[in-house]
Amino acid sequence: MLPEIEKLLVLQDSDQRIRTLQLELLAIPQQRAAKEKTFSELSQQLSQIKFRLREIELEKKRLELDAEAKRESIARYKQQQLQTRKNEEYSALNHEISIAEEKIRSIEDRELELMETIEKLRPLVEQAEKAHVEGRIKLETQLSGLETRKNSLEARIRELQAGRARLTEGVEEDLLDRYTRLFKSKAGQAVVPVEHEVCSGCHMKVTTQTVILVKSEKSITHCPQCGRVLYLCP
Ligand SMILES: [Zn+2]
């Protein structure tokens, strides 16, 4: 194998590792956002159910005040009945009393419905509160895990990049430039083997002439289709 190819393969191996680590590093913000979204959904669920419970409790409170006012009215009407001597007025007050009593009955029916809903909602609020607390703990663990992973990825990338210059020693500048461009444009596959007369980069059959050139190991040969540097599989 040509010594330049050997060097490029070692370099490519290291560059591929860097590339894989960089891709993993790039995915971290998205992973973080996904974890935060899951938690914010739990927060939303909690505030929605709490809001619903509060609304119902407020309606119940309003109804209690309404019923109380009606009872006071009834007491007032009865007081007036004691004071009046007119039959007409007396029966008009009776009518008012029965309207108020009817109103109180319908308020009490609604209050019962609301109390049943409140009884159903309370355990759901407790559940949502528990899920929210657990979700926060889980999120903190996940975020700190991602932060640790990020730091270790960055450290590993720095380490590999620091050793990279040594791996390029003895490779001609022109060839190194071509390799670097190919590595970027071909997703980390710049130097590839020819297998059964097929370039394993683009999977196209190469000419016999190309195979002979690669076999002769006299100079660097590129795939005529994709331009990758070719070598013969040992
Ligand atoms: Zn090719």
Side-chain angles (χ1 to χ4, degrees), residues 192 199-204 206 223-228 230:
V192 297
C199 162
S200 57
C202 65
H203 307 290
M204 299 286 281
V206 295
C223 167
Q225 271 88 26
C226 69
R228 289 179 174 92
L230 297 174

Side-chain angles (χ1 to χ4, degrees), residues 5 37 127-128 156 197 207 224:
I5 298 278
K37 187 167 175 275
Q127 265 174 33
R156 186 78 189 109
E197 301 195 354
T207 59

